[in-house]
Amino acid sequence: MKRHPTLTTRIIAAVALFFLSLLTFISYFHYRSMQQYTKESEMEKCALLLDSIEPVITINMFLGPDEPMHDYLQKIVRQNPMIVKLTVKDMEEGIHFTFSSKTFNPHGSEPIRMEHTVFDKITSMPIGKVEMLYSNARYIQLIGHYREFTILLFIGAAALAALL
């Protein structure tokens, strides 16, 4: 004799499946939103860092002495371990400062690459370029943690649905 599920069992199963589907849908779109937000945040941090050092570079490129700029940029790269590479060039491609991290580990991702042209504030003529590679390892780490949380949330919901 074949047993059919009762109406109550079917309603509970339907509600559990709906809840699980809704949770999966919300989690996926929230994950994608967090992924985009975190990536944009890392890009903004990189741009802000470049914007903050550009005035000092402009003054030193205009006036000529590389030593004060060199000391300043050495402090900047020591304080910001996310800087993978920083290069300051004049318009003839002459290098005035260069730094490359010896401890950079990409963690499966490419660093963020940014380039700014430095302009003379009086004549508005370009006098140099600043190139920076900024590690997005923290972005990858954050997204990895959030992905693990989302998977655990889904497993917990599936277990709860199975128990119901």
Side-chain angles (χ1 to χ4, degrees):
M1 183 191 295
K2 196 174 188 184
R3 252 182 113 189
H4 295 287
T6 64
L7 181 61
T8 305
T9 306
R10 283 189 248 162
I11 290 173
I12 290 173
V15 168
L17 286 174
F18 175 76
F19 171 71
L20 192 58
S21 299
L22 183 63
L23 182 64
T24 302
F25 180 76
I26 290 171
S27 295
Y28 173 75
F29 283 104
H30 191 256
Y31 170 75
R32 298 291 294 173
S33 171
M34 285 299 294
Q35 192 177 30
Q36 184 65 29
Y37 170 78
T38 308
K39 188 174 187 174
E40 287 172 4
S41 174
E42 290 298 308
M43 294 287 286
E44 285 176 15
K45 281 194 279 185
C46 181
L48 283 172
L49 184 58
L50 265 181
D51 289 344
S52 70
I53 65 175
E54 188 175 336
V56 173
I57 292 171
T58 303
I59 290 169
N60 285 292
M61 292 289 287
F62 180 73
L63 296 175
D66 285 346
E67 191 62 34
M69 178 177 61
H70 189 280
D71 293 342
Y72 173 75
L73 293 176
Q74 282 294 339
K75 288 177 187 173
I76 293 294
V77 296
R78 266 184 271 148
Q79 292 172 355
N80 295 284
M82 301 305 284
I83 296 175
V84 176
K85 186 174 182 178
L86 181 64
T87 305
V88 177
K89 300 177 183 177
D90 57 30
M91 292 313 290
E92 288 80 37
E93 298 295 317
I95 296 176
H96 291 262
F97 176 83
T98 187
F99 165 81
S100 291
S101 174
K102 294 168 182 63
T103 60
F104 174 66
N105 186 358
H107 297 291
S109 67
E110 288 293 316
I112 298 167
R113 178 176 168 60
M114 289 224 160
E115 186 176 301
H116 278 215
T117 301
V118 179
F119 293 93
D120 181 331
K121 300 299 181 194
I122 298 170
T123 65
S124 299
M125 297 292 293
I127 58 174
K129 284 193 251 180
V130 181
E131 298 170 354
M132 183 168 71
L133 291 178
Y134 186 84
S135 171
N136 60 2
R138 287 190 183 156
Y139 158 74
I140 298 300
Q141 183 181 25
L142 266 168
I143 292 301
H145 289 314
Y146 193 76
R147 185 181 314 117
E148 290 169 6
F149 170 76
T150 303
I151 290 169
L152 289 174
L153 182 67
F154 180 74
I155 289 170
L160 181 63
L163 285 174
L164 290 175

